[in-house]
PDB file of all heavy atoms in Angstrom:
ATOM      1  N   ASP A  61      -4.511  21.065   4.944  1.00  0.00           N
ATOM      2  CA  ASP A  61      -4.804  22.231   5.775  1.00  0.00           C
ATOM      3  C   ASP A  61      -6.292  22.588   5.662  1.00  0.00           C
ATOM      4  O   ASP A  61      -6.943  22.266   4.684  1.00  0.00           O
ATOM      5  CB  ASP A  61      -3.939  23.414   5.327  1.00  0.00           C
ATOM      6  CG  ASP A  61      -3.933  24.529   6.348  1.00  0.00           C
ATOM      7  OD1 ASP A  61      -4.050  24.244   7.558  1.00  0.00           O
ATOM      8  OD2 ASP A  61      -3.811  25.692   5.943  1.00  0.00           O
ATOM      9  N   GLY A  62      -6.789  23.245   6.646  1.00  0.00           N
ATOM     10  CA  GLY A  62      -8.189  23.663   6.621  1.00  0.00           C
ATOM     11  C   GLY A  62      -9.091  22.683   7.341  1.00  0.00           C
ATOM     12  O   GLY A  62      -8.659  21.627   7.802  1.00  0.00           O
ATOM     13  N   ASP A  63     -10.363  23.053   7.413  1.00  0.00           N
ATOM     14  CA  ASP A  63     -11.330  22.246   8.158  1.00  0.00           C
ATOM     15  C   ASP A  63     -11.718  20.956   7.457  1.00  0.00           C
ATOM     16  O   ASP A  63     -11.942  19.938   8.096  1.00  0.00           O
ATOM     17  CB  ASP A  63     -12.591  23.060   8.429  1.00  0.00           C
ATOM     18  CG  ASP A  63     -12.334  24.189   9.403  1.00  0.00           C
ATOM     19  OD1 ASP A  63     -11.372  24.081  10.198  1.00  0.00           O
ATOM     20  OD2 ASP A  63     -13.077  25.186   9.353  1.00  0.00           O
ATOM     21  N   ARG A  64     -11.853  21.007   6.144  1.00  0.00           N
ATOM     22  CA  ARG A  64     -12.305  19.831   5.404  1.00  0.00           C
ATOM     23  C   ARG A  64     -11.448  19.603   4.171  1.00  0.00           C
ATOM     24  O   ARG A  64     -11.835  19.972   3.057  1.00  0.00           O
ATOM     25  CB  ARG A  64     -13.761  20.009   4.973  1.00  0.00           C
ATOM     26  CG  ARG A  64     -14.720  19.999   6.107  1.00  0.00           C
ATOM     27  CD  ARG A  64     -16.129  19.970   5.598  1.00  0.00           C
ATOM     28  NE  ARG A  64     -16.998  20.466   6.636  1.00  0.00           N
ATOM     29  CZ  ARG A  64     -18.192  20.946   6.424  1.00  0.00           C
ATOM     30  NH1 ARG A  64     -18.665  21.011   5.210  1.00  0.00           N
ATOM     31  NH2 ARG A  64     -18.921  21.366   7.420  1.00  0.00           N
ATOM     32  N   PRO A  65     -10.287  19.003   4.333  1.00  0.00           N
ATOM     33  CA  PRO A  65      -9.464  18.743   3.154  1.00  0.00           C
ATOM     34  C   PRO A  65     -10.177  17.794   2.197  1.00  0.00           C
ATOM     35  O   PRO A  65     -10.883  16.883   2.632  1.00  0.00           O
ATOM     36  CB  PRO A  65      -8.196  18.124   3.708  1.00  0.00           C
ATOM     37  CG  PRO A  65      -8.433  17.865   5.134  1.00  0.00           C
ATOM     38  CD  PRO A  65      -9.688  18.533   5.559  1.00  0.00           C
ATOM     39  N   ASP A  66     -10.002  18.029   0.927  1.00  0.00           N
ATOM     40  CA  ASP A  66     -10.639  17.232  -0.114  1.00  0.00           C
ATOM     41  C   ASP A  66      -9.844  15.939  -0.319  1.00  0.00           C
ATOM     42  O   ASP A  66      -8.681  15.991  -0.727  1.00  0.00           O
ATOM     43  CB  ASP A  66     -10.679  18.048  -1.404  1.00  0.00           C
ATOM     44  CG  ASP A  66     -11.338  17.322  -2.550  1.00  0.00           C
ATOM     45  OD1 ASP A  66     -11.829  16.187  -2.365  1.00  0.00           O
ATOM     46  OD2 ASP A  66     -11.358  17.901  -3.660  1.00  0.00           O
ATOM     47  N   PRO A  67     -10.444  14.773  -0.041  1.00  0.00           N
ATOM     48  CA  PRO A  67      -9.723  13.506  -0.233  1.00  0.00           C
ATOM     49  C   PRO A  67      -9.211  13.341  -1.664  1.00  0.00           C
ATOM     50  O   PRO A  67      -8.140  12.774  -1.869  1.00  0.00           O
ATOM     51  CB  PRO A  67     -10.763  12.437   0.113  1.00  0.00           C
ATOM     52  CG  PRO A  67     -11.722  13.133   1.028  1.00  0.00           C
ATOM     53  CD  PRO A  67     -11.781  14.555   0.539  1.00  0.00           C
ATOM     54  N   ALA A  68      -9.956  13.835  -2.638  1.00  0.00           N
ATOM     55  CA  ALA A  68      -9.509  13.721  -4.031  1.00  0.00           C
ATOM     56  C   ALA A  68      -8.239  14.539  -4.264  1.00  0.00           C
ATOM     57  O   ALA A  68      -7.334  14.103  -4.982  1.00  0.00           O
ATOM     58  CB  ALA A  68     -10.617  14.180  -4.976  1.00  0.00           C
ATOM     59  N   GLU A  69      -8.150  15.709  -3.638  1.00  0.00           N
ATOM     60  CA  GLU A  69      -6.948  16.535  -3.777  1.00  0.00           C
ATOM     61  C   GLU A  69      -5.751  15.866  -3.090  1.00  0.00           C
ATOM     62  O   GLU A  69      -4.637  15.863  -3.623  1.00  0.00           O
ATOM     63  CB  GLU A  69      -7.172  17.923  -3.184  1.00  0.00           C
ATOM     64  CG  GLU A  69      -5.976  18.843  -3.350  1.00  0.00           C
ATOM     65  CD  GLU A  69      -6.183  20.211  -2.726  1.00  0.00           C
ATOM     66  OE1 GLU A  69      -7.342  20.604  -2.489  1.00  0.00           O
ATOM     67  OE2 GLU A  69      -5.169  20.882  -2.471  1.00  0.00           O
ATOM     68  N   VAL A  70      -5.977  15.291  -1.928  1.00  0.00           N
ATOM     69  CA  VAL A  70      -4.899  14.580  -1.219  1.00  0.00           C
ATOM     70  C   VAL A  70      -4.436  13.397  -2.058  1.00  0.00           C
ATOM     71  O   VAL A  70      -3.224  13.167  -2.223  1.00  0.00           O
ATOM     72  CB  VAL A  70      -5.360  14.139   0.185  1.00  0.00           C
ATOM     73  CG1 VAL A  70      -4.292  13.294   0.864  1.00  0.00           C
ATOM     74  CG2 VAL A  70      -5.719  15.357   1.037  1.00  0.00           C
ATOM     75  N   ALA A  71      -5.375  12.642  -2.621  1.00  0.00           N
ATOM     76  CA  ALA A  71      -5.019  11.507  -3.487  1.00  0.00           C
ATOM     77  C   ALA A  71      -4.252  11.989  -4.714  1.00  0.00           C
ATOM     78  O   ALA A  71      -3.292  11.339  -5.147  1.00  0.00           O
ATOM     79  CB  ALA A  71      -6.277  10.742  -3.892  1.00  0.00           C
ATOM     80  N   HIS A  72      -4.646  13.121  -5.271  1.00  0.00           N
ATOM     81  CA  HIS A  72      -3.941  13.690  -6.428  1.00  0.00           C
ATOM     82  C   HIS A  72      -2.488  14.012  -6.075  1.00  0.00           C
ATOM     83  O   HIS A  72      -1.569  13.725  -6.858  1.00  0.00           O
ATOM     84  CB  HIS A  72      -4.663  14.942  -6.934  1.00  0.00           C
ATOM     85  CG  HIS A  72      -3.918  15.650  -8.008  1.00  0.00           C
ATOM     86  ND1 HIS A  72      -3.828  15.165  -9.292  1.00  0.00           N
ATOM     87  CD2 HIS A  72      -3.199  16.798  -7.982  1.00  0.00           C
ATOM     88  CE1 HIS A  72      -3.077  15.982 -10.018  1.00  0.00           C
ATOM     89  NE2 HIS A  72      -2.689  16.986  -9.243  1.00  0.00           N
ATOM     90  N   VAL A  73      -2.258  14.588  -4.902  1.00  0.00           N
ATOM     91  CA  VAL A  73      -0.889  14.886  -4.473  1.00  0.00           C
ATOM     92  C   VAL A  73      -0.103  13.580  -4.351  1.00  0.00           C
ATOM     93  O   VAL A  73       1.035  13.483  -4.827  1.00  0.00           O
ATOM     94  CB  VAL A  73      -0.871  15.665  -3.134  1.00  0.00           C
ATOM     95  CG1 VAL A  73       0.543  15.760  -2.575  1.00  0.00           C
ATOM     96  CG2 VAL A  73      -1.475  17.053  -3.316  1.00  0.00           C
ATOM     97  N   LEU A  74      -0.692  12.571  -3.743  1.00  0.00           N
ATOM     98  CA  LEU A  74      -0.008  11.291  -3.593  1.00  0.00           C
ATOM     99  C   LEU A  74       0.363  10.709  -4.954  1.00  0.00           C
ATOM    100  O   LEU A  74       1.490  10.247  -5.157  1.00  0.00           O
ATOM    101  CB  LEU A  74      -0.880  10.313  -2.808  1.00  0.00           C
ATOM    102  CG  LEU A  74      -1.045  10.641  -1.326  1.00  0.00           C
ATOM    103  CD1 LEU A  74      -2.165   9.819  -0.714  1.00  0.00           C
ATOM    104  CD2 LEU A  74       0.267  10.409  -0.579  1.00  0.00           C
ATOM    105  N   ARG A  75      -0.571  10.750  -5.909  1.00  0.00           N
ATOM    106  CA  ARG A  75      -0.288  10.245  -7.255  1.00  0.00           C
ATOM    107  C   ARG A  75       0.805  11.072  -7.928  1.00  0.00           C
ATOM    108  O   ARG A  75       1.677  10.525  -8.604  1.00  0.00           O
ATOM    109  CB  ARG A  75      -1.552  10.285  -8.111  1.00  0.00           C
ATOM    110  CG  ARG A  75      -2.503   9.172  -7.844  1.00  0.00           C
ATOM    111  CD  ARG A  75      -3.672   9.185  -8.829  1.00  0.00           C
ATOM    112  NE  ARG A  75      -4.763   8.443  -8.251  1.00  0.00           N
ATOM    113  CZ  ARG A  75      -5.774   8.978  -7.558  1.00  0.00           C
ATOM    114  NH1 ARG A  75      -5.856  10.287  -7.405  1.00  0.00           N
ATOM    115  NH2 ARG A  75      -6.699   8.213  -7.037  1.00  0.00           N
ATOM    116  N   SER A  76       0.749  12.386  -7.737  1.00  0.00           N
ATOM    117  CA  SER A  76       1.745  13.280  -8.358  1.00  0.00           C
ATOM    118  C   SER A  76       3.157  12.954  -7.894  1.00  0.00           C
ATOM    119  O   SER A  76       4.119  13.209  -8.609  1.00  0.00           O
ATOM    120  CB  SER A  76       1.442  14.744  -8.016  1.00  0.00           C
ATOM    121  OG  SER A  76       0.209  15.121  -8.548  1.00  0.00           O
ATOM    122  N   TYR A  77       3.279  12.407  -6.696  1.00  0.00           N
ATOM    123  CA  TYR A  77       4.586  12.064  -6.153  1.00  0.00           C
ATOM    124  C   TYR A  77       4.867  10.562  -6.217  1.00  0.00           C
ATOM    125  O   TYR A  77       5.732  10.060  -5.502  1.00  0.00           O
ATOM    126  CB  TYR A  77       4.727  12.604  -4.731  1.00  0.00           C
ATOM    127  CG  TYR A  77       4.996  14.089  -4.741  1.00  0.00           C
ATOM    128  CD1 TYR A  77       3.944  14.996  -4.715  1.00  0.00           C
ATOM    129  CD2 TYR A  77       6.295  14.572  -4.827  1.00  0.00           C
ATOM    130  CE1 TYR A  77       4.190  16.365  -4.761  1.00  0.00           C
ATOM    131  CE2 TYR A  77       6.545  15.932  -4.870  1.00  0.00           C
ATOM    132  CZ  TYR A  77       5.486  16.826  -4.842  1.00  0.00           C
ATOM    133  OH  TYR A  77       5.734  18.180  -4.907  1.00  0.00           O
ATOM    134  N   GLY A  78       4.128   9.839  -7.061  1.00  0.00           N
ATOM    135  CA  GLY A  78       4.484   8.468  -7.368  1.00  0.00           C
ATOM    136  C   GLY A  78       3.740   7.354  -6.677  1.00  0.00           C
ATOM    137  O   GLY A  78       4.050   6.192  -6.890  1.00  0.00           O
ATOM    138  N   GLU A  79       2.753   7.685  -5.824  1.00  0.00           N
ATOM    139  CA  GLU A  79       1.987   6.608  -5.184  1.00  0.00           C
ATOM    140  C   GLU A  79       1.119   5.916  -6.233  1.00  0.00           C
ATOM    141  O   GLU A  79       0.539   6.558  -7.107  1.00  0.00           O
ATOM    142  CB  GLU A  79       1.093   7.158  -4.071  1.00  0.00           C
ATOM    143  CG  GLU A  79       1.810   7.379  -2.775  1.00  0.00           C
ATOM    144  CD  GLU A  79       2.422   6.127  -2.196  1.00  0.00           C
ATOM    145  OE1 GLU A  79       1.733   5.087  -2.111  1.00  0.00           O
ATOM    146  OE2 GLU A  79       3.585   6.176  -1.819  1.00  0.00           O
ATOM    147  N   ALA A  80       1.034   4.619  -6.134  1.00  0.00           N
ATOM    148  CA  ALA A  80       0.292   3.822  -7.098  1.00  0.00           C
ATOM    149  C   ALA A  80      -1.184   3.724  -6.713  1.00  0.00           C
ATOM    150  O   ALA A  80      -1.526   3.683  -5.538  1.00  0.00           O
ATOM    151  CB  ALA A  80       0.900   2.427  -7.181  1.00  0.00           C
ATOM    152  N   ASP A  81      -2.022   3.681  -7.707  1.00  0.00           N
ATOM    153  CA  ASP A  81      -3.442   3.436  -7.492  1.00  0.00           C
ATOM    154  C   ASP A  81      -3.654   1.969  -7.156  1.00  0.00           C
ATOM    155  O   ASP A  81      -2.813   1.136  -7.491  1.00  0.00           O
ATOM    156  CB  ASP A  81      -4.230   3.807  -8.748  1.00  0.00           C
ATOM    157  CG  ASP A  81      -4.524   5.297  -8.812  1.00  0.00           C
ATOM    158  OD1 ASP A  81      -4.932   5.846  -7.779  1.00  0.00           O
ATOM    159  OD2 ASP A  81      -4.340   5.895  -9.886  1.00  0.00           O
ATOM    160  N   PRO A  82      -4.718   1.637  -6.495  1.00  0.00           N
ATOM    161  CA  PRO A  82      -5.790   2.533  -6.051  1.00  0.00           C
ATOM    162  C   PRO A  82      -5.418   3.263  -4.759  1.00  0.00           C
ATOM    163  O   PRO A  82      -4.763   2.693  -3.892  1.00  0.00           O
ATOM    164  CB  PRO A  82      -6.969   1.596  -5.814  1.00  0.00           C
ATOM    165  CG  PRO A  82      -6.341   0.284  -5.442  1.00  0.00           C
ATOM    166  CD  PRO A  82      -5.027   0.220  -6.183  1.00  0.00           C
ATOM    167  N   ILE A  83      -5.808   4.518  -4.693  1.00  0.00           N
ATOM    168  CA  ILE A  83      -5.639   5.305  -3.470  1.00  0.00           C
ATOM    169  C   ILE A  83      -7.045   5.621  -2.971  1.00  0.00           C
ATOM    170  O   ILE A  83      -7.702   6.527  -3.475  1.00  0.00           O
ATOM    171  CB  ILE A  83      -4.834   6.597  -3.719  1.00  0.00           C
ATOM    172  CG1 ILE A  83      -3.423   6.258  -4.219  1.00  0.00           C
ATOM    173  CG2 ILE A  83      -4.772   7.435  -2.446  1.00  0.00           C
ATOM    174  CD1 ILE A  83      -2.591   7.456  -4.600  1.00  0.00           C
ATOM    175  N   ASP A  84      -7.515   4.834  -2.053  1.00  0.00           N
ATOM    176  CA  ASP A  84      -8.849   5.000  -1.487  1.00  0.00           C
ATOM    177  C   ASP A  84      -8.709   5.514  -0.060  1.00  0.00           C
ATOM    178  O   ASP A  84      -8.484   4.744   0.866  1.00  0.00           O
ATOM    179  CB  ASP A  84      -9.603   3.663  -1.487  1.00  0.00           C
ATOM    180  CG  ASP A  84      -9.783   3.117  -2.893  1.00  0.00           C
ATOM    181  OD1 ASP A  84     -10.109   3.912  -3.790  1.00  0.00           O
ATOM    182  OD2 ASP A  84      -9.571   1.903  -3.083  1.00  0.00           O
ATOM    183  N   LEU A  85      -8.831   6.821   0.087  1.00  0.00           N
ATOM    184  CA  LEU A  85      -8.668   7.449   1.399  1.00  0.00           C
ATOM    185  C   LEU A  85     -10.010   7.554   2.101  1.00  0.00           C
ATOM    186  O   LEU A  85     -10.964   8.108   1.553  1.00  0.00           O
ATOM    187  CB  LEU A  85      -8.051   8.843   1.234  1.00  0.00           C
ATOM    188  CG  LEU A  85      -6.657   8.877   0.614  1.00  0.00           C
ATOM    189  CD1 LEU A  85      -6.246  10.301   0.300  1.00  0.00           C
ATOM    190  CD2 LEU A  85      -5.658   8.210   1.538  1.00  0.00           C
ATOM    191  N   THR A  86     -10.082   7.028   3.304  1.00  0.00           N
ATOM    192  CA  THR A  86     -11.303   7.120   4.099  1.00  0.00           C
ATOM    193  C   THR A  86     -11.283   8.407   4.918  1.00  0.00           C
ATOM    194  O   THR A  86     -10.251   9.091   5.014  1.00  0.00           O
ATOM    195  CB  THR A  86     -11.400   5.922   5.063  1.00  0.00           C
ATOM    196  OG1 THR A  86     -10.348   6.031   6.033  1.00  0.00           O
ATOM    197  CG2 THR A  86     -11.304   4.592   4.321  1.00  0.00           C
ATOM    198  N   ALA A  87     -12.399   8.708   5.547  1.00  0.00           N
ATOM    199  CA  ALA A  87     -12.471   9.865   6.440  1.00  0.00           C
ATOM    200  C   ALA A  87     -11.481   9.708   7.586  1.00  0.00           C
ATOM    201  O   ALA A  87     -10.831  10.680   7.995  1.00  0.00           O
ATOM    202  CB  ALA A  87     -13.896  10.036   6.971  1.00  0.00           C
ATOM    203  N   ASP A  88     -11.320   8.485   8.087  1.00  0.00           N
ATOM    204  CA  ASP A  88     -10.344   8.230   9.153  1.00  0.00           C
ATOM    205  C   ASP A  88      -8.915   8.439   8.665  1.00  0.00           C
ATOM    206  O   ASP A  88      -8.074   8.964   9.395  1.00  0.00           O
ATOM    207  CB  ASP A  88     -10.494   6.812   9.709  1.00  0.00           C
ATOM    208  CG  ASP A  88     -11.735   6.656  10.582  1.00  0.00           C
ATOM    209  OD1 ASP A  88     -12.311   7.680  11.014  1.00  0.00           O
ATOM    210  OD2 ASP A  88     -12.131   5.496  10.827  1.00  0.00           O
ATOM    211  N   ASP A  89      -8.632   8.027   7.422  1.00  0.00           N
ATOM    212  CA  ASP A  89      -7.296   8.253   6.842  1.00  0.00           C
ATOM    213  C   ASP A  89      -6.985   9.746   6.795  1.00  0.00           C
ATOM    214  O   ASP A  89      -5.911  10.181   7.206  1.00  0.00           O
ATOM    215  CB  ASP A  89      -7.202   7.696   5.415  1.00  0.00           C
ATOM    216  CG  ASP A  89      -7.254   6.184   5.346  1.00  0.00           C
ATOM    217  OD1 ASP A  89      -6.842   5.512   6.320  1.00  0.00           O
ATOM    218  OD2 ASP A  89      -7.707   5.666   4.299  1.00  0.00           O
ATOM    219  N   ILE A  90      -7.946  10.518   6.302  1.00  0.00           N
ATOM    220  CA  ILE A  90      -7.747  11.970   6.178  1.00  0.00           C
ATOM    221  C   ILE A  90      -7.585  12.601   7.555  1.00  0.00           C
ATOM    222  O   ILE A  90      -6.703  13.444   7.762  1.00  0.00           O
ATOM    223  CB  ILE A  90      -8.919  12.628   5.403  1.00  0.00           C
ATOM    224  CG1 ILE A  90      -8.941  12.136   3.948  1.00  0.00           C
ATOM    225  CG2 ILE A  90      -8.838  14.139   5.465  1.00  0.00           C
ATOM    226  CD1 ILE A  90      -7.743  12.550   3.117  1.00  0.00           C
TER     227      ILE A  90
END
Side-chain angles (χ1 to χ4, degrees):
D61 194 31
D63 292 336
R64 292 189 202 159
D66 181 3
E69 182 182 340
V70 175
H72 174 73
V73 170
L74 290 167
R75 282 186 201 95
S76 297
Y77 283 90
E79 278 300 311
D81 277 315
I83 299 175
D84 299 317
L85 298 171
T86 67
D88 287 344
D89 292 332
I90 295 295

